[in-house]
Amino acid sequence: MKKILQDLSFGELETLVLSYGEKKFRAKQLFEGLMQGKRLSEIPVSSALRRALLEEYEDEPVKIKETFVSKEDGTKKFLFELADGNLIEGVFMRYKYGNTQCVSTQVGCRMGCKFCASTLGGLVRNLTAGEILGQILAVNRSEGGTLKDRAVTNAVLMGSGEPFDNYENVVKFLKNVSAEGGICMSPRNISLSTCGIVPAMKRFADEGLPVNLTISLHASSDGERARVMPVAKAYSIAEIMDACAYYFQKTGRRYIFEYTLIAGENCDREHAEALAMLVKGQPCHVNLIRLNEVKERSLAAADEKAAYRFLGVLEKSGVSATLRRSLGSDIGGACGQLRASYLENKQEDNKDEN
Ligand code: SAH
């Protein structure tokens, strides 16, 4: 695979341009063009420079292959193709305060959470910083956004993959996406969700990036958590809480716990009370979401009544919490489903041809 131009920071691009004997200002032109989601052929640089770059570098790391639009709420799901043919997906949601894009950090995932579709085929590979950024650049452009007037204003690292299992590339992405002269998205408008890889949480706290940290909890005891999240065998809830406290101490930022409500697993009154006990008094918020059912898994969503009861218990205990509504449910359920069903259809097509 060729190297990826969008992996480069502005400074790295400058060094590269100078190494080709070109003037420094070409780097600015190039950077601005790339951050607008343009290909080299659309950026006014000399044909010699374009040719030299294309010999070594890929200029379109993420292509929109298909778009699915929800009739219910306008949410869009994108199927992206990477330069090596791998597929990832992303979701674009419109809210009153801005437009949020859900971004993938890996092709597949190796965390093995029992409720998640992204992990069904295991980890295929990490995405590079430019492939993570490329998802945002492609959607910003296709939605009519520019660098000044962005269509994508917020991002959540909640697509396929575990961001902290691809730490270096994710941090580089965060630096490049917020860099001046580029798409310049504030880290404050970005949320990173982790299944709770404790050493990486601590390292991230030291990174000095004001990103919103979200931790997927889904249970209040290690035993229950390990039933749905294998990573719970590596890091205990106590260690996660420690890392959260460290994060707050270093950054002064509140953090968020994600809690997916799964019927018969984690959504009884006792579970809500245990969660309230666990997080009460912490500088945190709890995001509840009813499970998006994944057809390969036997787990079912908690019903709405149970979800509101759960929320009520948290609120009564003084825990800040919301029950998130699910967007785009008519265009293919849970995270990871789009890629999985696309690959499945492809296999069916191939069968027909044989
Ligand atoms: N690896 C990261 C990002 C995963 S996706 C993490 O574990 O946090 C973002 C959120 O969606 C996580 O909280 C994840 O647990 C949740 N999620 C995954 N599959 C889901 C499903 N089928 N229904 C509801 N939430 C789900």
Side-chain angles (χ1 to χ4, degrees), residues 307-322:
Y308 279 106
R309 182 184 61 204
F310 200 101
L311 177 66
V313 172
L314 293 182
E315 283 173 339
K316 231 190 212 148
S317 318
V319 173
S320 154
T322 38

Side-chain angles (χ1 to χ4, degrees), residues 115-116 158-159 161-163 193-195 216 218 258 260 291-292 294 334:
F115 44 81
C116 182
M158 295 192 184
E162 164 52 42
S193 182
T194 177
C195 61
S216 298
H218 310 319
E258 291 272 316
T260 297
L291 180 81
N292 286 313
V294 174

Side-chain angles (χ1 to χ4, degrees), residues 239-256:
E239 288 171 311
I240 290 177
M241 296 304 154
D242 240 26
C244 288
Y246 182 73
Y247 177 80
F248 183 71
Q249 181 204 325
K250 293 294 281 193
T251 65
R253 301 181 66 76
R254 288 204 319 166
Y255 40 87
I256 292 169

Side-chain angles (χ1 to χ4, degrees), residues 122 163 171 194 198 265 280 331 335 349:
V171 166
T194 177
V198 166
E265 278 290 336
K280 205 177 158 169
I331 47 169
C335 235
D349 288 352

Side-chain angles (χ1 to χ4, degrees), residues 29-328:
Q29 247 176 350
L30 259 176
F31 190 68
E32 278 180 11
L34 292 170
M35 294 301 131
Q36 287 166 45
K38 290 185 178 167
R39 301 196 66 169
L40 277 178
S41 56
E42 303 170 273
I43 304 174
V45 288
S46 70
S47 55
L49 178 59
R50 190 176 299 134
R51 220 174 312 120
L53 285 171
L54 284 174
E55 244 165 60
E56 272 190 83
Y57 288 92
E58 176 59 51
D59 67 339
E60 192 183 26
V62 179
K63 263 194 222 84
I64 297 177
K65 193 171 169 68
E66 272 185 60
T67 309
F68 305 81
V69 186
S70 162
K71 291 194 186 74
E72 287 169 10
D73 51 43
T75 295
K76 288 188 182 171
K77 263 205 169 191
F78 293 93
L79 190 66
F80 300 109
E81 185 169 16
L82 307 177
D84 65 356
N86 267 306
L87 299 172
I88 50 170
E89 62 185 86
V91 187
F92 179 73
M93 296 155 284
R94 290 180 186 278
Y95 293 105
K96 277 188 218 94
Y97 57 81
N99 301 329
T100 298
Q101 189 177 349
C102 176
V103 173
S104 292
T105 55
Q106 295 178 314
V107 183
C109 182
R110 60 177 179 147
M111 293 299 134
C113 298
K114 294 286 184 286
F115 44 81
C116 182
S118 304
T119 199
L120 286 168
L123 175 67
V124 178
R125 69 169 176 87
N126 281 333
L127 296 185
T128 71
E131 287 173 325
I132 305 172
L133 179 59
Q135 299 166 55
I136 293 177
L137 303 181
V139 171
N140 189 54
R141 183 177 190 183
S142 86
E143 292 298 310
T146 59
L147 292 188
K148 282 217 172 71
D149 188 15
R150 287 162 301 156
V152 182
T153 54
N154 301 56
V156 293
L157 274 57
M158 295 192 184
S160 68
E162 164 52 42
F164 283 163
D165 191 33
N166 184 16
Y167 190 92
E168 309 285 346
N169 289 324
V170 164
V171 166
K172 177 142 203 216
F173 153 75
L174 290 170
K175 290 182 177 159
N176 287 353
V177 76
S178 53
E180 254 185 64
I183 189 146
C184 216
M185 186 182 281
S186 162
R188 290 186 170 74
N189 293 345
I190 302 176
S191 297
L192 182 153
S193 182
T194 177
C195 61
I197 300 184
V198 166
M201 288 170 68
K202 291 192 175 151
R203 188 175 165 197
F204 194 67
D206 292 331
E207 209 73 61
L209 287 163
V211 165
N212 305 305
L213 184 65
T214 296
I215 303 99
S216 298
L217 202 56
H218 310 319
S220 309
S221 78
D222 290 324
E224 283 176 348
R225 193 162 185 264
R227 275 218 306 266
V228 286
M229 299 181 76
V231 70
K233 294 180 194 118
Y235 304 108
S236 69
I237 291 177
E239 288 171 311
I240 290 177
M241 296 304 154
D242 240 26
C244 288
Y246 182 73
Y247 177 80
F248 183 71
Q249 181 204 325
K250 293 294 281 193
T251 65
R253 301 181 66 76
R254 288 204 319 166
Y255 40 87
I256 292 169
F257 291 117
E258 291 272 316
Y259 195 102
T260 297
L261 297 162
I262 309 170
E265 278 290 336
N266 65 358
C267 54
D268 292 343
R269 178 176 293 281
E270 301 80 77
H271 295 117
E273 284 163 355
L275 179 62
M277 285 281 284
L278 179 67
V279 305
K280 205 177 158 169
Q282 289 191 39
C284 70
H285 179 81
V286 176
N287 255 336
L288 302 172
I289 183 166
R290 286 168 58 213
L291 180 81
N292 286 313
E293 288 174 14
V294 174
K295 73 172 185 312
E296 292 84 351
R297 307 287 204 190
S298 53
L299 299 172
D303 60 43
E304 219 163 288
K305 209 171 130 207
Y308 279 106
R309 182 184 61 204
F310 200 101
L311 177 66
V313 172
L314 293 182
E315 283 173 339
K316 231 190 212 148
S317 318
V319 173
S320 154
T322 38
L323 177 60
R324 252 187 8 203
R325 70 197 168 108
S326 191
L327 290 177

